[in-house]
Amino acid sequence: MQESFENSVKNMLTIIGEDPNREGLLKTPQRVFKAYQFLTSGYHQDPKEVLGDALFKSSNNEMVLVRDIEFYSLCEHHLLPIIGRVHVAYIPNGKVVGLSKIPRMVDIFARRLQIQEQMTEQIAQALAEVIEPKGVGVVVEARHMCVEMRGVQKINSTTTTSALRGAFIKNAETRKEFFALINSPKEMRF
Ligand SMILES: [Zn+2]
C-alpha cells in the first residue's frame, strides 16, 4: 500500500514538471505518505468511543462550553488545509464528559477529509448521541487554503458554520447565551 501511494506521488511530481529523482525530492514520496497517514488518522479512531470513555454522572444543568479548540483538516475537494477553531457547548442531562475528550473528538473528525459543514454536524451529532444532553451547540470558524491560495476570495476570509440541537434550537435565551459567550473577547474572560 505504501509503495503504491509513493508511486502515485512520484507520478504527480512528474506530471507537474518535476524530476522525482532529483536529490531534494528523493524522499518526498515517503514523507508525503507519512504526513498523510497522520493527517488522516481519524479514520481509524472512533470519536464516540473517546467520549464514552470519560462520562461522569452530574447534577449540573448549566451550559458547559469549550471554546477556541484549534484544528487542522484537509478539504475533501482539493486536499488542501482547512485551519480553524471549534466552539462546543452542551447542557448536561445527568451526564458530563471529561473536558479533554472534546478536543480529542474534534481532532478525530478533523483528521479525515472534510467539508466544514459536515464536520460541524458530525461533532454535534457525536455529542448528542453519547452525552444525551438537553442541547448541543457547535460553531466552527475556519480558513480554507483552497480558497485563499487559489485566489478565489480575499485572503483572511473566514467561513462560519453552526449546528444546534435541543435547547439550543428551542430556547432563544440559551442560543443567545451561547453566541454571546463565544463572541466575547478572550482577554476579558480570564
Ligand atoms: Zn477545497
Side-chain angles (χ1 to χ4, degrees):
M1 242 164 49
Q2 179 169 357
E3 202 187 324
S4 151
F5 186 101
E6 289 181 15
N7 283 333
S8 304
V9 175
K10 270 185 218 162
N11 285 336
M12 195 174 88
L13 288 169
T14 308
I15 290 163
I16 64 171
E18 265 292 355
D19 170 13
N21 295 316
R22 75 174 170 85
E23 211 190 332
L25 291 176
L26 275 179
K27 286 192 171 160
T28 295
Q30 191 189 334
R31 290 190 195 103
V32 176
F33 176 75
K34 291 215 168 116
Y36 268 80
Q37 258 189 331
F38 178 75
L39 296 173
T40 61
S41 56
Y43 287 114
H44 310 293
Q45 292 167 284
D46 183 352
K48 287 182 206 162
E49 206 177 287
V50 166
L51 289 176
D53 272 352
L55 281 183
F56 307 101
K57 275 187 190 166
S58 169
S59 56
N60 174 31
N61 53 13
E62 295 295 323
M63 188 183 298
V64 177
L65 170 71
V66 184
R67 207 179 96 149
D68 296 311
I69 305 165
E70 283 184 7
F71 76 93
Y72 300 87
S73 189
L74 292 170
C75 80
E76 70 178 30
H77 299 139
H78 307 92
L79 307 186
L80 288 171
I82 306 172
I83 303 165
R85 290 179 304 177
V86 183
H87 315 292
V88 169
Y90 68 94
I91 297 174
N93 189 16
K95 282 186 271 186
V96 293
V97 68
L99 288 182
S100 68
K101 302 296 176 183
I102 292 179
R104 273 200 60 200
M105 169 203 54
V106 168
D107 275 342
I108 293 172
F109 283 123
R111 287 178 191 150
R112 298 174 180 184
L113 303 185
Q114 279 293 5
I115 49 178
Q116 185 178 334
E117 296 86 336
Q118 171 184 276
M119 192 178 91
T120 312
E121 277 296 324
Q122 286 171 339
I123 293 169
Q125 193 56 31
L127 283 163
E129 283 178 28
V130 178
I131 311 179
E132 296 173 315
K134 288 177 186 153
V136 172
V138 178
V139 167
V140 178
E141 300 171 300
R143 292 172 56 191
H144 294 250
M145 292 308 119
C146 64
V147 175
E148 297 188 19
M149 293 172 74
R150 297 187 309 142
V152 182
Q153 269 179 30
K154 278 182 188 149
I155 287 176
N156 280 328
S157 73
T158 306
T159 305
T160 303
T161 49
S162 65
L164 305 173
R165 300 277 194 282
F168 287 74
I169 298 174
K170 285 176 236 154
N171 189 333
E173 281 303 311
T174 301
R175 198 164 54 238
K176 227 163 91 183
E177 183 190 347
F178 174 52
F179 284 105
L181 281 172
I182 66 174
N183 288 318
S184 66
K186 225 179 177 180
E187 52 276 15
M188 284 177 65
R189 300 172 62 245
F190 294 98

